[in-house]
Amino acid sequence: MHKHLRLALATASAAALTGGLLTFSAATATAADSVHHPMADFNNDGYGDVAYSAGGATVGGKAEAGQVVALYGSASGISSTKRTTISQNTSGVPGQAETGDWFSWSSAYGDYNGDGYDDLAVSAPMEDVDGDTDGGTVLIVWGSASGLSGATTIKDLAPSSHDQWGRSLASGDFDGDGTEDLAIGSTSNEVFVIGDGITKSGSFGDQYAIKLDIVSGKGAGAIMLTAGDANGDKRTDLVVDGFETDSSWQYNTNWYVPGSSQGLGAEGGVRELKRGIITGIGDINGDGYGDIVTGQDWDPSKDGSEPSVPGSSTGGKIHILFGSADGPATTVAVTQDSGNVPGSSERGDYFGSELSLGDINGDGKTDL
């Protein structure tokens, strides 16, 4: 079975998936509501903060135990002197640094307990839990006036049905009730959502799961979660990346799950989007709707010995799915042969294998 997986967890550079975790947050229109801030502020001083993952870092002599580094903003920007480094060996953080846990592989931020400070959700998806190999752990590291400190475990809601709890994470107000919610992926075809107030004791007001037509099992499940508002209703929507089940080749594809007053997908509208291995959401054309960008870096089959990924083109491409009141609508594809994009499309270029969104020139439109 041939799978087009973006990156293998055990061998990839963690920075490729999560080092840009908060870079996406600076993009216009990724914040879908008044709750989720467009940039994290862990100490609530009015300056944006960033958190960088080092999931493969050696901690206390344990290879690939993982850690995360938060850098705090100021009037002069960020610097290495104002920072917090957090691992499972940090005081107040549950567990301990162990070989191969990949702590901070996936992260998301939001004010989960509503105290005015943004918090950081962090996973260790390969941690063994109560005898469950690679069961995975999700923690929330709490924001405060002095920055991030202390953490609470978010217990797996269905430990016997999957592994790698926290393989992917995303935050937003999915039901529009004014409280921050957290979406949690694993190796199953379900994405779990908790919210309506998450406390430092680990309790929360609401929980549910959404099931998608993606492959479950080792190396599968919800590979990547991306949150943003594509239909402008002020409820955060979710894009889920996983392997489609339509053929034995199981290509990466993306599913759009709209937010609603009853939670993600509760009012329908779930649909498959363009295939791709990485996703971002931002308002590229400045119309107030979040646009979904997917990177599809595969070349077509060279000699016909295996099927080409549907929609693939030489050198790779990105798809921009422009948002509207009905969610993602018009699609534009961009390659290195498009318009004023430098270079030209050549086999093996992997154009679209990584992307980031933000307003670089201050015109109110997200740049890619």
Side-chain angles (χ1 to χ4, degrees):
M1 185 179 295
H2 184 66
K3 294 181 177 180
H4 292 266
L5 175 60
R6 178 173 183 266
L7 288 174
L9 178 62
T11 59
S13 163
L17 267 185
T18 55
L21 140 83
L22 299 185
T23 4
F24 283 178
S25 68
T28 305
T30 55
D33 50 69
S34 59
V35 177
H36 191 82
H37 303 149
M39 176 164 272
D41 188 359
F42 301 123
N43 55 7
N44 195 25
D45 64 356
Y47 298 105
D49 307 320
V50 293
Y52 291 98
S53 169
T58 297
V59 178
K62 306 295 184 180
E64 298 173 350
Q67 64 185 23
V68 63
V69 179
L71 302 177
Y72 302 103
S74 69
S76 56
I78 60 174
S79 73
S80 62
T81 60
K82 191 179 180 183
R83 67 177 180 179
T84 303
T85 301
I86 298 166
S87 74
Q88 287 185 286
N89 280 357
T90 301
S91 177
V93 176
Q96 61 184 13
E98 299 169 315
T99 299
D101 279 354
W102 287 87
F103 178 78
S104 85
W105 171 258
S106 186
S107 310
Y109 74 90
D111 183 6
Y112 302 113
N113 61 354
D115 64 356
Y117 300 97
D118 279 323
D119 313 304
L120 187 67
V122 184
S123 73
M126 306 300 283
E127 180 169 11
D128 299 343
V129 180
D130 296 330
D132 180 10
T133 301
D134 299 339
T137 294
V138 174
L139 306 174
I140 293 181
V141 186
W142 301 103
S144 70
S146 58
L148 292 171
S149 65
T152 299
T153 299
I154 302 300
K155 291 186 177 180
D156 193 336
L157 299 181
S160 63
S161 66
H162 56 242
D163 285 323
Q164 295 180 24
W165 174 246
R167 179 179 187 178
S168 49
L169 300 170
S171 294
D173 186 4
F174 302 120
D175 54 10
D177 68 352
T179 60
E180 192 89 41
D181 307 314
L182 177 65
I184 304 173
S186 65
T187 58
S188 80
N189 61 352
E190 289 186 306
V191 175
F192 292 86
V193 181
I194 62 171
D196 288 359
I198 304 173
T199 71
K200 290 187 177 182
S201 66
S203 65
F204 36 83
D206 189 26
Q207 68 177 66
Y208 60 93
I210 52 174
K211 183 175 288 187
L212 296 167
D213 190 20
I214 58 176
V215 177
S216 295
K218 185 177 181 179
I223 297 169
M224 190 172 186
L225 302 176
T226 306
D229 185 11
N231 60 7
D233 66 354
K234 303 304 179 185
R235 300 183 181 99
T236 311
D237 309 320
L238 190 70
V239 176
V240 181
D241 179 89
F243 297 127
E244 52 88 12
T245 62
D246 295 340
S247 73
S248 61
W249 293 86
Q250 298 180 350
Y251 303 111
N252 287 73
T253 195
N254 293 280
W255 291 87
Y256 170 69
V257 186
S260 75
S261 61
Q262 300 302 309
L264 285 167
E267 297 178 3
V270 178
R271 61 184 187 270
E272 188 174 0
L273 302 177
K274 293 291 185 180
R275 289 173 172 82
I277 55 172
I278 184 170
T279 306
I281 302 177
D283 188 4
I284 287 177
N285 58 1
D287 64 356
Y289 299 104
D291 306 313
I292 299 171
V293 184
T294 62
Q296 181 175 345
D297 69 4
W298 309 298
D299 289 317
S301 176
K302 188 173 183 179
D303 55 10
S305 60
E306 61 181 48
S308 296
V309 179
S312 59
S313 62
T314 298
K317 68 167 61 169
I318 56 173
H319 296 280
I320 303 171
L321 293 82
F322 291 104
S324 72
D326 297 318
T330 307
T331 303
V332 172
V334 179
T335 72
Q336 283 187 285
D337 290 335
S338 300
N340 293 319
V341 178
S344 59
S345 296
E346 301 160 317
R347 291 192 68 85
D349 282 352
Y350 293 98
F351 184 75
S353 64
E354 189 61 87
L355 59 86
S356 185
L357 297 168
D359 185 6
I360 304 302
N361 59 0
D363 65 355
K365 300 180 180 68
T366 302
D367 307 309
L368 168 64

